């Protein structure tokens, strides 16, 4: 991701800790002035919602399923690029763009195409069913049906 955005006149903000210090150091060394590393932001905060709503896109390149922060990003209306996993398809459907390559040029093309999109279908609406008020209603309905 860092290499694909390098020299593209776009700020890349990476938020989150790291497990592998050597890999983190490599990433920091690879990033130029356009890459910012932030260890963490307060969960469910206004600062996260503000950052996400002002971003060009939310991107997760990991082979592991995305975290719940991807739902939070989607609820802000962010354009999104996520790995195609069963979890992502179940939660996001066709409302996100899928990473289909980790090749630097292919990834840049995907990012660039996503940024150019005017809107993102029904992402906020489709994700709202996972929010507390809506999911509790569904849970109560299921429990009542089981009785």
């Amino acid at each position: 991701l860092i290499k694909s955005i390098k020299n593209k006149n776009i700020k890349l903000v990476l938020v989150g800790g790291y497990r592998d210090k050597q890999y983190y150091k490599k990433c920091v060394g690879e990033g130029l002035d356009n890459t910012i590393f932030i260890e963490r932001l307060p969960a469910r905060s206004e600062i996260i919602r503000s950052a996400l709503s002002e971003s060009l896109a939310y991107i997760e390149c990991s082979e592991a399923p995305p975290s719940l922060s991807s739902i939070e990003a989607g609820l802000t209306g962010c354009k999104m690029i996520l790995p195609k996993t069963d979890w992502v398809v179940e939660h996001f459907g066709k409302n996100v763009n899928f990473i289909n390559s980790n090749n630097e040029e292919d990834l840049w093309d995907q990012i660039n195409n996503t940024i150019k999109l005017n809107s993102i279908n029904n992402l906020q609406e489709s994700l709202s069913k996972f929010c507390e008020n809506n999911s509790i209603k569904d849970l109560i309905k299921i429990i009542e049906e089981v009785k």
Side-chain angles (χ1 to χ4, degrees), residues 9-11 51-58 78-80 114-115:
N9 199 28
I10 291 179
K11 283 279 185 205
L52 290 168
S53 65
E54 293 297 320
S55 68
L56 295 174
Y58 175 90
C78 258
K79 297 172 187 175
M80 302 184 74
T114 300
I115 290 169

Side-chain angles (χ1 to χ4, degrees), residues 24-87:
Y24 175 75
K25 285 181 177 180
K26 183 177 177 181
C27 289
V28 170
E30 191 69 45
L32 298 173
D33 291 339
N34 69 327
T35 306
I36 299 168
F37 295 86
I38 299 174
E39 188 174 329
R40 66 184 144 94
L41 293 172
R44 298 178 301 274
S45 68
E46 287 296 322
I47 192 167
I48 287 178
R49 285 189 287 281
S50 176
L52 290 168
S53 65
E54 293 297 320
S55 68
L56 295 174
Y58 175 90
I59 305 167
E60 284 204 31
C61 296
S62 172
E63 293 177 6
S67 62
L68 291 176
S69 62
S70 59
I71 290 178
E72 188 173 18
L75 287 168
T76 68
C78 258
K79 297 172 187 175
M80 302 184 74
I81 305 171
L82 301 172
K84 190 169 187 177
T85 66
D86 291 342
W87 186 89

Side-chain angles (χ1 to χ4, degrees), residues 126-143:
S126 68
L127 288 175
S128 69
K129 66 185 173 190
F130 300 111
C131 293
E132 183 178 3
N133 291 342
N134 297 327
S135 63
I136 288 178
K137 289 175 190 173
D138 290 341
L139 179 60
I140 290 170
K141 183 179 175 185
I142 292 168
I143 291 171

Side-chain angles (χ1 to χ4, degrees), residues 81-145:
I81 305 171
L82 301 172
K84 190 169 187 177
T85 66
D86 291 342
W87 186 89
V88 171
V89 172
E90 177 184 346
H91 288 77
F92 296 89
K94 297 177 181 177
N95 297 312
V96 299
N97 286 338
F98 296 108
I99 291 172
N100 53 27
S101 171
N102 278 328
N103 172 282
E104 291 169 36
E105 291 304 315
D106 291 343
L107 187 52
W108 168 247
D109 288 342
Q110 291 171 269
I111 292 166
N112 197 30
N113 290 336
T114 300
I115 290 169
K116 289 178 181 178
L117 290 174
N118 290 330
S119 64
I120 47 161
N121 301 333
N122 302 316
L123 183 57
Q124 289 171 299
E125 183 181 325
S126 68
L127 288 175
S128 69
K129 66 185 173 190
F130 300 111
C131 293
E132 183 178 3
N133 291 342
N134 297 327
S135 63
I136 288 178
K137 289 175 190 173
D138 290 341
L139 179 60
I140 290 170
K141 183 179 175 185
I142 292 168
I143 291 171
E144 288 174 346
E145 289 174 1

